[in-house]
Amino acid sequence: MGAYILRRLLLMIPTLFGIMLISFIVVQFAPGGPVEQVIAQVTGQGGGADARIGGGGNDFSQGFEAGGGNARYRGAQGLDPEFIAQLERQFGFDKPAHERFAKMLWDYIRFDFGESYFRDISVVDLILEKMPVSISLGIWITLISYGISIPLGIRKAVKDGSPFDVWTSGIVIIAYAIPSFLFAILLMVLFAGGSFFDWFPLRGLTSDNWHELSWPARILDYFWHLTLPLTSLVLSAFATTTLLTKNSFLDEIRKQYVTTATAKGLTERQVLYGHVFRNAMLIIIAGFPGAFISSFFTGSLLIESIFSLDGLGLLGFRSVVDRDYPVVFATLYIFSLLGLIVSLISDITYTLIDPRIDFERRDV
């Protein structure tokens, strides 16, 4: 197992390099950029996604020629070329692309992610600032969805073909088909002061007076703010795991060792939880780390926007729109590294749950 883990760790290096290289190349051709953001603000044209580059150039050009560099940036006509050059030096665009890419990799290897272009804060501090929202959503979505999916999936497997199995399958499929953001809007209209009831808040994880509350009141206030976002996300989160649990248990229930255990006089509960459970839950438990990371970093952008939750999903989207490249590349690097590590942890979990699995005898 040690040799397999070492090979996987070594393979992370070229994988990360490929991800960052492809992303860096794509950015070279992406319209808009930090220089355009500043130019648009200086000239009063507005920034954000409306800023675009004209003439086929981009912010990652290797510089500009004296007297003609302003033509590379839309809206820069009439501005002092030295001002444009200063902007390029400030954002590091005065260097060739390969030098900037090499410097970025060297900094990232040392976990030095620099500072945001427009927020006057280090990227690490910015990510840590947004973490509480993403941690809250990720942890509770995973725990609630697994807490619903596993018992429901087991029950559906035991009652396969019964009316219970049929109508719960219908509910699961319908819940999976409803987009979470549409359900979030429905909940907001019904229960957050839209047109009917004003029972739940619409902004943040806690109230403004949270620090003045007692500890029990703080806990209640925290879950009060999370109720609608979590309900929106959980609606479709448990469907896949429920059906996977059911099918996994059905496969095990139909095997010969279950028939043998039943013939020995064991009760259904003893067979189900003493023999079937460990084998059937292998794929479910081993996939838990990946499911947690997935719910932690993805799928919450629209929910964060609707309920004004300033988390990592919203941070990533705003960074792309604002062309805040240090934040874009740092989050890509961190999330890719975490994804690779979690994939390795999932494989190790397989061997811990079932020692019969031996990755040493297989190619990576």
Side-chain angles (χ1 to χ4, degrees):
M1 190 62 184
Y4 173 77
I5 294 176
L6 179 61
R7 290 198 301 269
R8 288 289 298 271
L9 291 174
L10 293 176
L11 278 174
M12 291 182 185
I13 298 175
T15 303
L16 275 176
F17 178 83
I19 292 173
M20 300 304 297
L21 178 61
I22 293 174
S23 302
F24 188 85
I25 293 174
V26 169
V27 166
Q28 311 308 303
F29 303 98
V35 174
E36 273 67 32
Q37 304 293 323
V38 177
I39 290 174
Q41 294 174 11
V42 170
T43 58
Q45 299 175 10
D50 295 333
R52 292 294 182 265
I53 297 172
N58 57 49
D59 276 344
F60 279 75
S61 59
Q62 296 182 11
F64 73 99
E65 299 175 1
N70 288 3
R72 293 181 181 273
Y73 305 107
R74 174 176 294 183
Q77 289 78 8
L79 294 180
D80 185 359
E82 180 56 33
F83 172 70
I84 305 298
Q86 182 180 355
L87 288 179
E88 291 184 330
R89 288 193 297 270
Q90 177 182 341
F91 294 121
F93 300 150
D94 57 325
K95 298 181 177 64
H98 67 276
E99 290 186 14
R100 286 182 280 107
F101 180 69
K103 182 180 184 304
M104 181 182 71
L105 287 184
W106 173 243
D107 290 340
Y108 285 7
I109 290 173
R110 296 179 292 121
F111 291 95
D112 179 8
F113 300 109
E115 293 191 357
S116 166
Y117 282 159
F118 306 112
R119 293 178 173 88
D120 194 26
I121 185 176
S122 71
V123 174
V124 173
D125 290 340
L126 186 60
I127 292 176
L128 292 177
E129 180 184 308
K130 312 301 181 183
M131 275 286 190
V133 171
S134 296
I135 289 176
S136 296
L137 294 177
I139 289 178
W140 292 115
I141 291 167
T142 305
L143 293 179
I144 294 174
S145 63
Y146 267 69
I148 295 174
S149 301
I150 293 176
L152 180 59
I154 294 174
R155 188 64 177 174
K156 285 173 63 63
V158 173
K159 299 293 184 179
D160 184 43
S162 67
F164 173 83
D165 180 42
V166 173
W167 68 260
T168 52
S169 294
I171 293 176
V172 167
I173 293 173
I174 293 174
Y176 183 75
I178 299 175
S180 59
F181 72 93
L182 286 180
F183 191 63
I185 294 174
L186 175 64
L187 292 178
M188 182 176 62
V189 171
L190 291 177
F191 303 112
S195 300
F196 296 90
F197 306 102
D198 190 8
W199 292 349
F200 296 96
L202 270 179
R203 182 178 297 276
L205 283 180
T206 57
S207 300
D208 293 335
N209 64 336
W210 188 78
H211 293 286
E212 302 173 2
L213 302 175
S214 62
W215 278 108
R218 290 183 182 185
I219 295 174
L220 290 176
D221 181 76
Y222 170 75
F223 284 107
W224 181 47
H225 282 75
L226 277 179
T227 299
L228 295 187
L230 287 180
T231 304
S232 305
L233 290 170
V234 168
L235 180 68
S236 58
F238 67 88
T240 302
T241 309
T242 297
L243 297 179
L244 183 62
T245 302
K246 175 192 173 182
N247 293 333
S248 181
F249 268 80
L250 280 178
D251 288 341
E252 293 297 323
I253 289 173
R254 294 166 180 169
K255 290 183 178 179
Q256 183 62 42
Y257 75 90
V258 175
T259 304
T260 303
T262 304
K264 291 181 178 180
L266 297 179
T267 65
E268 180 184 272
R269 185 177 184 85
Q270 289 175 324
V271 173
L272 190 62
Y273 293 100
H275 294 75
V276 175
F277 187 84
R278 179 174 180 177
N279 295 326
M281 288 301 296
L282 173 62
I283 190 172
I284 310 298
I285 298 176
F288 182 85
F292 173 70
I293 292 296
S294 177
S295 60
F296 185 81
F297 292 118
T298 63
S300 60
L301 169 60
L302 293 176
I303 301 300
E304 289 180 11
S305 300
I306 292 172
F307 294 104
S308 300
L309 298 172
D310 196 6
L312 292 175
L314 200 56
L315 171 65
F317 173 74
R318 288 175 176 171
S319 299
V320 171
V321 171
D322 294 338
R323 304 299 190 266
D324 197 346
Y325 293 132
V327 179
V328 172
F329 283 113
T331 52
L332 175 65
Y333 178 83
I334 294 172
F335 297 167
S336 299
L337 180 60
L338 284 176
L340 293 171
I341 293 174
V342 167
S343 176
L344 176 59
I345 292 175
S346 296
D347 287 346
I348 297 174
T349 306
Y350 274 111
T351 62
L352 295 177
I353 297 174
D354 190 348
R356 295 172 298 178
I357 298 177
D358 187 3
F359 289 105
E360 293 284 1
R361 300 179 182 177
R362 301 177 57 187
D363 295 332
V364 178

